Amino acid sequence: MQTNPETPTRISVAYGDGIGPEIMGAVLNILEAAQARLDIDVVEMGKKSYLEGHNAGIPASTWASIQSNKVLLKAPITTPQGGGYKSLNVTMRKTLGLFANVRPTLSYEPYVKSKHRDIDVVIIRENEEDLYAGIEHRQTTDVTQCLKLITRPGCERIIRYAFEYARANGRKKVSCFTKDNIMKATDGLFHAVFNEIAPEYPDIETDHWIIDIASAKLANEPEKFDVIVTLNLYGDIISDIASEIAGSVGLCGSANIGQTCAMFEAIHGSAPDIAGQDIANPSGLLHAAILMLNAIGQADVATRVHNAWLKTIEDGVHTADIYDAKLSQSKVGTQAFAQAVIERLGQQPQHLKAVSGEKHGLPGALPEYRRPEVKKEMVGVDVFIDWPHANPDEIGQALAAIDGDLVLKMITNRGIKVYPEGFSETFCTDHWRCRFVAKATDASVGHAQVIHLLQQLSQQGWDFIKTEGLYRFDGVNGFSMAQGE
Ligand code: NAD
């Protein structure tokens, strides 16, 4: 993504919906005044495109522009209400392989009221996997599921990126947040990969936190954290918390980084409640533009804009969302704020820490993923059955009577063991996970045996809704035990 610093970089720009056009106009005015070397290709996306029938809100011409330019500066968009529309952001991140979402958050006390004085944290959120795979099914009358997919290459890329980012930006510590005390396989993989990669960066301190206490600490003692790397959903939640306690969601920008493309945007939405009033804060989108300038090799312009912005904030020129009669000097609208930043280009803040020669903070090529050679063997199968009666012993005894190479080991309902020897107090739905394993101890199982089992279940009228193979990888179980097993 690095370009010749003297030639203009062609970028795609989307004006977005709601407050989008106002804040984008303000930001582009600042970039032009700061002599950013940009050649702007305006693209269409968002509400209008959704309503024209593009179900992710992105027309083909916009995809072509982004694929050609590789860089998109995007204002927030509005997803129309009602079914059938796919998330534009999730589609864009996954289609373009934008695996890292980088969200720096700072407090600007005493100029912007904030819950804490010393917030300076960068949240690096995995951007493509986790529950955002969007694979959901209703399986029975009672039960719906969403698949949480965590992959080794996905973990390796984001965790290595976090360490590379920390090193490139002179950061001291990378903290990993997971919930691997509960999700031992998925979050456990993320934590294990973190532990594998960390020793390659002995200059960087590391720690690991369980996400619940980590979020509480982040809200209460944010100075404990420097760079945070975490899974998609946790990162989504904690980055909003961090920016809100720092002052306003209107202040933070984010970079969505891939191996070949990058997209830069504010973290907030299109704020339809204040659209068209010239009162929105353009700072979040301006910070996104600063991240972009750094990424495309225009750190000189990024630094000039950033320092002018800091001086504007320090001078008390504030938009309504951060205006405080005790701290601010004047309440200004979106365009007047941009003008105030333009007037301060070339100036440095006097009290807030000035930026000097910002780092790019983007990785070069990450190592190619090498899939390890492992021995995989199937040792059983979980068959999920829709059965609308709340009697575990009845289903258990019927399935235990099936005669074949596979025998019933146990049944769970919502993950808790209910057969054999369940508790009468356990609430049961119509969704039964029935674990079958080889009759002979420790024997492997083949597809033919699973198919034979399913034929027997079908002949007996059981409504099986899905199966999950139980595999061992190099002798280690790749499946969880039941709660209570
Ligand atoms: P929002 O972030 O748009 O607004 C939340 C609150 O913050 C509102 O009170 C709003 O006025 C305020 N706010 C947001 N940005 C501000 C700014 N720059 N200056 C001052 N105040 C600001 O969240 P929402 O209301 O939940 O969502 C509105 C729309 O935005 C929805 O259609 C949603 O799908 C979309 N959205 C888009 C993106 C994106 O494009 N990246 C992200 C989030 C939400």
Side-chain angles (χ1 to χ4, degrees):
M1 201 168 296
Q2 300 295 309
T3 50
N4 180 341
E6 297 314 317
T7 49
T9 303
R10 190 162 171 79
I11 62 165
S12 304
V13 167
Y15 276 78
D17 302 312
I19 59 171
E22 302 159 53
I23 59 173
M24 183 60 84
V27 166
L28 293 181
N29 286 344
I30 296 169
L31 297 188
E32 190 183 352
Q35 296 175 343
R37 300 175 289 280
L38 299 173
D39 179 7
I40 286 168
D41 183 13
V42 175
V43 294
E44 190 65 60
M45 66 169 66
K47 194 170 180 184
K48 182 164 166 275
S49 304
Y50 275 116
L51 298 176
E52 280 170 3
H54 304 281
N55 89 333
I58 310 168
S61 55
T62 298
W63 282 121
S65 164
I66 299 168
Q67 275 190 299
S68 158
N69 298 329
K70 313 283 186 216
V71 180
L72 169 67
L73 180 64
K74 171 181 164 292
I77 59 99
T78 301
T79 311
Q81 296 292 318
Y85 298 116
K86 281 171 64 183
S87 163
L88 183 149
N89 279 326
V90 174
T91 305
M92 178 101 54
R93 287 169 187 162
K94 291 209 216 172
T95 307
L96 299 174
L98 308 178
F99 67 92
N101 190 322
V102 183
R103 295 185 167 190
T105 303
L106 283 114
S107 51
Y108 303 99
E109 283 258 358
Y111 303 99
V112 178
K113 202 166 158 201
S114 142
K115 295 263 189 294
H116 302 279
R117 282 194 81 89
D118 301 314
I119 305 179
D120 182 1
V121 60
V122 180
I123 296 170
I124 298 190
R125 161 188 170 195
E126 197 290 314
N127 220 11
E128 297 179 283
E129 305 194 339
D130 198 352
L131 292 160
Y132 292 66
I135 305 175
E136 295 190 295
H137 299 95
R138 180 171 176 179
Q139 297 183 319
T140 68
T141 306
D142 294 348
V143 176
T144 52
Q145 73 163 17
C146 176
L147 283 187
K148 171 163 172 149
L149 294 181
I150 304 297
T151 72
R152 176 165 271 277
C155 293
E156 286 185 6
R157 280 199 299 187
I158 191 68
I159 289 165
R160 192 170 292 285
Y161 178 87
F163 280 104
E164 289 291 324
Y165 178 97
R167 196 176 258 176
N169 288 277
R171 297 268 173 176
K172 303 276 176 291
K173 186 166 90 168
V174 178
S175 302
C176 174
F177 290 4
T178 73
K179 185 78 181 169
D180 69 340
N181 54 332
I182 301 295
M183 284 160 279
K184 296 185 169 70
T186 47
D187 286 31
L189 175 61
F190 195 89
H191 188 178
V193 172
F194 181 78
N195 287 345
E196 283 169 25
I197 291 179
E200 294 179 39
Y201 299 85
D203 47 320
I204 312 258
E205 206 187 313
T206 59
D207 56 13
H208 170 265
W209 295 73
I210 299 295
I211 183 67
D212 36 6
I213 187 63
S215 311
K217 289 284 180 205
L218 179 64
N220 207 33
E221 297 170 76
E223 65 282 356
K224 271 190 182 311
F225 301 105
D226 190 350
V227 173
I228 295 169
V229 64
T230 190
L231 297 99
N232 202 341
L233 178 63
Y234 311 141
D236 195 358
I237 297 168
I238 63 168
S239 53
D240 273 24
I241 295 175
S243 62
E244 192 62 21
I245 61 169
S248 164
V249 285
L251 290 176
C252 292
S254 76
N256 294 267
I257 305 293
Q259 298 272 25
T260 54
C261 292
M263 185 243 285
F264 301 85
E265 62 178 348
I267 70 156
H268 57 74
S270 58
D273 53 332
I274 58 167
Q277 299 172 38
D278 189 40
I279 57 173
N281 190 342
S283 300
L285 188 59
L286 185 64
H287 278 128
I290 291 168
L291 289 166
M292 177 192 76
L293 289 169
N294 280 312
I296 61 175
Q298 297 190 28
D300 54 334
V301 188
T303 303
R304 196 155 62 239
V305 171
H306 205 159
N307 283 330
W309 180 86
L310 287 165
K311 181 78 166 73
T312 310
I313 292 296
E314 201 180 81
D315 287 347
V317 182
H318 294 166
T319 44
D321 57 318
I322 56 169
Y323 180 82
D324 182 317
K326 290 199 208 85
L327 303 175
S328 310
Q329 296 300 321
S330 56
K331 191 197 282 186
V332 293
T334 312
Q335 306 313 321
F337 181 83
Q339 193 51 41
V341 176
I342 289 169
E343 284 160 11
R344 288 165 179 78
L345 286 168
Q347 296 183 31
Q348 303 256 334
Q350 300 303 302
H351 304 288
L352 289 170
K353 198 166 155 231
V355 176
S356 65
E358 287 184 291
K359 300 274 166 42
H360 298 305
L362 301 175
L366 293 169
E368 203 178 318
Y369 173 66
R370 284 171 200 270
R371 187 167 296 121
E373 296 235 341
V374 287
K375 180 169 178 268
K376 176 183 171 189
E377 56 176 336
M378 183 155 58
V379 294
V381 63
D382 280 345
V383 182
F384 290 74
I385 291 180
D386 181 349
W387 187 66
H389 307 284
N391 188 340
D393 285 341
E394 189 182 335
I395 184 172
Q397 282 156 16
L399 297 181
I402 289 179
D403 193 22
D405 294 341
L406 291 166
V407 291
L408 183 71
K409 183 168 185 223
M410 57 135 193
I411 299 177
T412 68
N413 199 297
R414 294 188 302 169
I416 186 89
K417 192 185 76 159
V418 293
Y419 180 88
E421 294 161 11
F423 279 52
S424 58
E425 290 82 359
T426 306
F427 176 75
C428 289
T429 67
D430 54 1
H431 188 266
W432 305 83
R433 189 262 301 255
C434 308
R435 176 160 291 179
F436 291 85
V437 295
K439 196 188 274 179
T441 314
D442 269 345
S444 302
V445 169
H447 285 155
Q449 290 154 306
V450 174
I451 291 166
H452 181 59
L453 171 68
L454 296 179
Q455 277 167 340
Q456 289 173 298
L457 290 170
S458 176
Q459 279 156 9
Q460 292 182 18
W462 295 102
D463 179 12
F464 56 85
I465 48 184
K466 76 160 184 174
T467 63
E468 290 281 357
L470 305 177
Y471 301 104
R472 264 192 221 135
F473 295 85
D474 285 342
V476 178
N477 284 350
F479 49 91
S480 57
M481 308 268 281
Q483 288 152 352
E485 188 176 347

